[in-house]
Amino acid sequence: MVNHTEKKLTEVIRERRATPGFAPSPVDEADLKRILGAGLEAPSGYNMQPWRFIVVRDPEQRKKLRVAARNQAKVEQAPAVIVACGDLEGWKNGDLDEVLRVGREHGFDDEKQNENMRKAVSSALSSQPNIAMWVTKQTMIAATTMMWMAEVLGYDTALMEGFYEDQVREVLAIPQHVSVICLLCIGNLQGSDKKYAGRVHPSRTVFSERYGKPLEP
Ligand SMILES: Cc1cc2nc3c(=O)[nH]c(=O)nc-3n(C[C@H](O)[C@H](O)[C@H](O)COP(=O)(O)O)c2cc1C
């Protein structure tokens, strides 16, 4: 493993920036596995894990992906790009069965409860008014967990939403029922980092007890 000392999460939260440019130095394979593994431990509604991730390292694929990502150079520069996707139909095409099967391995072997769970999830997700939003919600948590893990291991990251979904789908052979949610570039900063642009005052975004009531009097 390349990075022997892990950074503290508090430090990473303070110092992380959306990396503007990446050096060609690779992401260590074992580190990449840890980054992916961290994301796969993320929580999700009903533990349904509708996310799908495509790890893009091949330079030719990164070049094509760059074009699909509005020609943003960092997609080609970053040695590893994780393309975070969500399967809109996964829950009815095997995910629910698999989640129940894995649950059994972990002691959830009350079949009556499992059947209730199957019915509850099927009912909730078949009547979910915005399945794309639901899938996005879950997938962003996993992708963000990968981002923090990469930063803890000493890498620099860039989350990206600037891409043409149909083009990304074509480059990576992603089927229509799978939506492309974000790209996560991972590598090492080259050049100067992005300047901190600050955050709006919490009085605008954080409330107490009810919407609009200030937290601090
Ligand atoms: C979901 C998401 C998508 C983003 N997409 C892009 C992008 O396509 N291109 C880009 O240059 N920056 C992108 N950014 C970076 C943001 O512009 C950046 O996070 C923001 O300006 C705050 O800067 P900081 O992350 O350095 O604090 C994205 C960030 C997020 C969270």
Side-chain angles (χ1 to χ4, degrees):
M1 212 170 298
V2 168
N3 301 280
H4 294 287
T5 47
E6 293 184 12
K7 288 186 181 168
K8 284 192 174 147
L9 187 57
T10 45
E11 180 191 339
V12 154
I13 289 171
R14 194 175 56 238
E15 292 177 357
R16 181 210 57 81
R17 295 277 65 83
T19 305
F22 290 91
S25 52
V27 175
D28 178 71
E29 281 298 307
D31 288 341
L32 190 57
K33 282 209 173 81
R34 289 185 69 193
I35 292 164
L36 290 162
L40 299 180
E41 288 300 328
S44 59
Y46 313 106
N47 197 25
M48 210 46 52
Q49 307 156 63
W51 47 63
R52 306 288 186 264
F53 296 99
I54 304 162
V55 181
V56 182
R57 286 165 295 182
D58 176 61
E60 281 305 310
Q61 281 294 78
R62 275 159 37 210
K63 193 177 272 186
K64 290 183 194 158
L65 199 55
R66 170 187 177 159
V67 177
R70 299 171 179 257
N71 201 31
Q72 296 191 73
K74 51 189 150 189
V75 176
E76 189 180 352
Q77 294 166 350
V81 181
I82 297 175
V83 179
C85 304
D87 191 335
L88 306 175
E89 298 174 358
W91 69 273
K92 56 182 166 187
N93 286 335
D95 285 5
L96 180 50
D97 294 324
E98 189 58 10
V99 166
L100 289 170
R101 190 192 65 74
V102 172
R104 274 183 208 105
E105 284 179 6
H106 287 79
F108 289 81
D109 51 8
D110 181 332
E111 286 311 321
K112 203 168 161 227
Q113 270 187 17
N114 285 343
E115 206 35 52
N116 287 342
M117 158 94 169
R118 180 191 297 283
K119 282 187 189 139
V121 173
S122 300
S123 160
L125 294 183
S126 57
S127 59
Q128 163 60 248
N130 191 341
I131 199 78
M133 173 72 91
W134 180 80
V135 158
T136 302
K137 210 190 290 182
Q138 322 302 332
T139 305
M140 281 311 294
I141 298 173
T144 308
T145 304
M146 289 182 192
M147 178 192 79
W148 290 128
M149 188 55 157
E151 295 271 346
V152 162
L153 293 177
Y155 294 100
D156 299 296
T157 60
L159 267 177
M160 299 178 65
E161 62 186 345
F163 54 82
Y164 300 106
E165 186 177 19
D166 52 343
Q167 291 185 22
V168 173
R169 209 181 253 130
E170 197 180 324
V171 171
L172 303 178
I174 299 168
Q176 281 296 328
H177 60 90
V178 174
S179 63
V180 184
I181 291 165
C182 69
L183 272 51
L184 174 63
C185 301
I186 305 172
N188 294 288
L189 170 71
Q190 178 155 277
S192 317
D193 209 350
K194 185 169 172 283
K195 217 161 114 40
Y196 178 56
R199 295 296 184 263
V200 297
H201 194 274
S203 61
R204 196 174 178 82
T205 50
V206 182
F207 308 122
S208 170
E209 316 306 344
R210 60 176 171 77
Y211 193 89
K213 186 179 174 218
L215 186 65
E216 308 283 349

